[in-house]
Amino acid sequence: LQGAGAACHMVENDFDYPGGNIRVLEDVTTAGHCCTRCRAEPGCLRWTHDGDSHKCALKRLEELRRFPRKGVTSGLRDRLANSSTSGTADSSNTETKRSTPFRMITMGTCADVNMNSVIDIDTCELAARTLGLQDTSANITLHKDRPEGCYLFRGNALWLSIDAANVGLGWQANRLPICIQPAALFSP
């Protein structure tokens, strides 16, 4: 999307990113303009535009969830979703760069880096796209002795482990867990 000269990235039609509203703007006619407004809003990291009501919800990033919803368009501001190497593995670092809410780790568990495991397929696939991984379609495994949740196998295959026996398991040779920042706690 292009809006007022700003590129939008990770745009999804017919998906809502619920929660985390900073504020809701009226009379925003396009998703591109909504993204542009997010880029200008301090603390805005994602947005949702309702094409029917012309409302634009500017959102902070709590837990990134997404749900199908006809007529809305949602996205991440480009600072999170687009930089030439953001989120791609860097052999000089032991962890993925931190420009997204997601991180692929090369040792330990998500909890070790104060993050959560990605445990649903939609978020796993969104993380893969955001991190710029080649495989963005997760395979499901019920095998035991796998990392908890979403992981990259042998550098090129996206997997989601759903066996409860794997809760708390992390990095393994050839299996790199993908983690997400925990939701911020809100206190009035």
Side-chain angles (χ1 to χ4, degrees), residues 62-73:
E62 292 176 348
E63 179 180 3
L64 184 58
R65 295 175 299 140
R66 52 193 282 279
F67 295 99
R69 184 172 159 216
K70 289 284 185 203
V72 301
T73 303

Side-chain angles (χ1 to χ4, degrees), residues 114-155:
N114 298 316
M115 297 183 84
N116 296 329
S117 297
V118 173
I119 58 172
D120 70 272
I121 195 163
D122 289 334
T123 305
C124 182
E125 291 175 348
L126 178 61
R129 289 192 308 271
T130 302
L131 293 171
L133 302 179
Q134 184 176 5
D135 186 1
T136 59
S137 182
N139 301 290
I140 303 288
T141 181
L142 293 169
H143 291 285
K144 292 179 179 17
D145 196 30
R146 299 290 189 266
E148 178 182 6
C150 188
Y151 65 92
L152 189 66
F153 180 60
R154 292 191 176 161

